[in-house]
Amino acid sequence: MGMFKVRVAEVLEETSNIKSFRLKRADGAPFDPYPAGAHIDIVGPTDVVRQYSLCSPPYELDDYVIAVKLEPASRGGSQALHEVAVGQELEISAPRNLMAVAEGADRHILVAAGIGVTPMISMAYHLHRANQEFELHYFARSRDEAAFVDLLETKSGFGERVKFHFGLQRDDQPTVLAAAFAALTHRSHVYTCGPEGFMDRVKDTAASVIPEENVHIEHFQAGEPVDTSADTPFEIEFEDEIYEVPVGRSIVQVLEENGVEVDTTCQEGICGTCIMGVLKGEPDHRDQCMSASEKKANDQIAACVSRSKSPRLVLEMF
Ligand code: FES
């Protein structure tokens, strides 16, 4: 994976446990354009690689902004980044996008909880600039614990599109969500990012109004462990070579054992780095990074976790 150096130009305390970092390319050049909702890999000071959404306007390419929440159980990722100071250099990847803004939608509803607001901010900037119909619903335990409130309310230019929901009980969320989705049509799209349980509530409520494939989810942690007791071996064909993937080994592992390098980051099915094309066969999708419609199309696979329902998958590298 191509990585490049950036310099930290600004660090702001957004809340007691969330800091934002403004990054500039170390060589002084502007960044390449990227789609709203994209994320980057960051190699932190302890060499831990983590994914963070870009939350700056996607059309302003002098800098990238990310926000990092200090995780209490941090294994060196968020904690080390919270100690990074202005002027320090970090390594990042080019942006990747797993939650693109849908073309041709009549309405977009962005629904975020907590730090999940970050990809929604760049999407909101994009939608506002493109003059699209949208709303951003932002759930947080309290105003003090919500990052970027001031930016969203007054500086973003789309404050009237943002609905804050502070301190709401979990049981009350479906009612608020149902009201937010009441006017949606089959051409409307819902995007969500936040804790898994919250995103499940958004998905369930939205899917009773719009097609399930119009609900887009951004995962930042692996899902529940999959039952692997019925796993069987299968074959993969890649560049005219055939390899067997035994039980307990992944496609990525088998390819790498055979000298084929596959880019990976999370190895847990959440970042999308390892996605390969499927030319033939039916994948058994076990990732959290592809949408329901992408999985249904069966033409891509997250090779670090997913397996096969058919005896053989014919794969290509993107
Ligand atoms: S390496 Fe992250 S999804 Fe496979």
Side-chain angles (χ1 to χ4, degrees):
M1 181 192 340
M3 304 291 286
F4 57 96
K5 287 210 160 39
V6 293
R7 191 174 45 78
V8 177
E10 183 181 51
V11 182
L12 294 176
E13 287 204 15
E14 301 291 345
T15 71
S16 62
N17 63 357
I18 297 174
K19 284 186 178 179
S20 68
F21 297 82
R22 184 171 296 278
L23 310 173
K24 289 190 179 288
R25 278 185 69 125
D27 62 8
F31 290 106
D32 289 334
Y34 64 93
H39 66 268
I40 52 173
D41 294 336
I42 297 195
V43 184
T46 49
D47 282 342
V48 174
V49 182
R50 288 281 181 272
Q51 289 80 45
Y52 293 98
S53 295
L54 296 173
C55 49
S56 32
Y59 42 83
E60 286 180 7
L61 299 174
D62 284 341
D63 34 37
Y64 284 168
V65 176
I66 59 159
V68 179
K69 181 179 179 187
L70 183 62
E71 299 296 346
S74 170
R75 286 175 285 145
S78 66
Q79 193 173 35
L81 280 171
H82 264 239
E83 282 156 23
V84 163
V86 170
Q88 211 164 324
E89 285 196 349
L90 298 168
E91 251 189 356
I92 69 168
S93 71
R96 283 193 307 278
N97 199 9
L98 299 172
M99 195 165 61
V101 172
E103 299 281 332
D106 64 351
R107 196 155 195 200
H108 308 265
I109 305 289
L110 315 174
V111 191
I115 192 68
V117 76
T118 51
M120 303 300 171
I121 295 176
S122 79
M123 294 172 82
Y125 274 120
H126 166 81
L127 291 166
H128 179 59
R129 193 179 212 222
N131 218 9
Q132 301 253 323
E133 197 54 46
F134 80 97
E135 272 179 7
L136 166 55
H137 291 261
Y138 184 5
F139 293 72
R141 270 192 228 132
S142 67
R143 190 181 174 94
D144 284 351
E145 289 173 82
F148 301 114
V149 174
D150 185 36
L151 169 92
L152 290 169
E153 263 180 346
T154 57
K155 299 183 194 144
S156 64
F158 51 80
E160 75 287 355
R161 307 269 192 170
V162 185
K163 316 289 174 204
F164 295 100
H165 307 285
F166 296 138
L168 213 59
Q169 294 299 313
R170 190 172 300 180
D171 290 349
D172 295 332
Q173 290 173 354
T175 310
V176 172
L177 292 169
F181 302 154
L184 299 188
T185 74
H186 273 218
R187 286 179 50 228
S188 306
H189 285 250
V190 170
Y191 312 80
T192 185
C193 186
E196 293 295 317
F198 175 81
M199 294 195 294
D200 284 345
R201 284 188 285 285
V202 173
K203 186 175 74 182
D204 293 345
T205 312
S208 64
V209 186
I210 61 174
E212 200 184 331
E213 56 266 30
N214 291 10
V215 185
H216 310 269
I217 294 178
E218 178 85 324
H219 290 276
F220 279 103
Q221 58 189 44
E224 292 296 307
V226 174
D227 179 4
T228 56
S229 57
D231 281 0
T232 53
F234 60 96
E235 288 179 341
I236 50 171
E237 184 178 327
F238 178 74
E239 293 185 342
D240 298 327
E241 300 285 342
I242 294 169
Y243 311 103
E244 184 180 86
V245 182
V247 171
R249 310 289 293 160
S250 71
I251 296 172
V252 166
Q253 286 170 325
V254 169
L255 285 172
E256 291 194 332
E257 282 159 11
N258 287 283
V260 180
E261 206 177 308
V262 185
D263 282 343
T264 60
T265 304
C266 71
Q267 300 264 13
E268 291 183 292
I270 50 177
C271 72
T273 309
C274 67
I275 288 179
M276 299 181 72
V278 177
L279 300 172
K280 233 187 235 173
E282 187 184 357
D284 179 0
H285 297 291
R286 296 181 179 185
D287 64 276
Q288 306 288 308
C289 55
M290 289 198 283
S291 67
S293 56
E294 285 168 337
K295 287 180 181 172
K296 214 186 268 178
N298 277 339
D299 58 0
Q300 300 180 70
I301 187 167
C304 68
V305 289
S306 295
R307 299 185 67 80
S308 182
K309 291 183 180 166
S310 48
R312 183 181 294 178
L313 291 176
V314 183
L315 303 177
E316 66 173 352
M317 205 75 91
F318 282 145

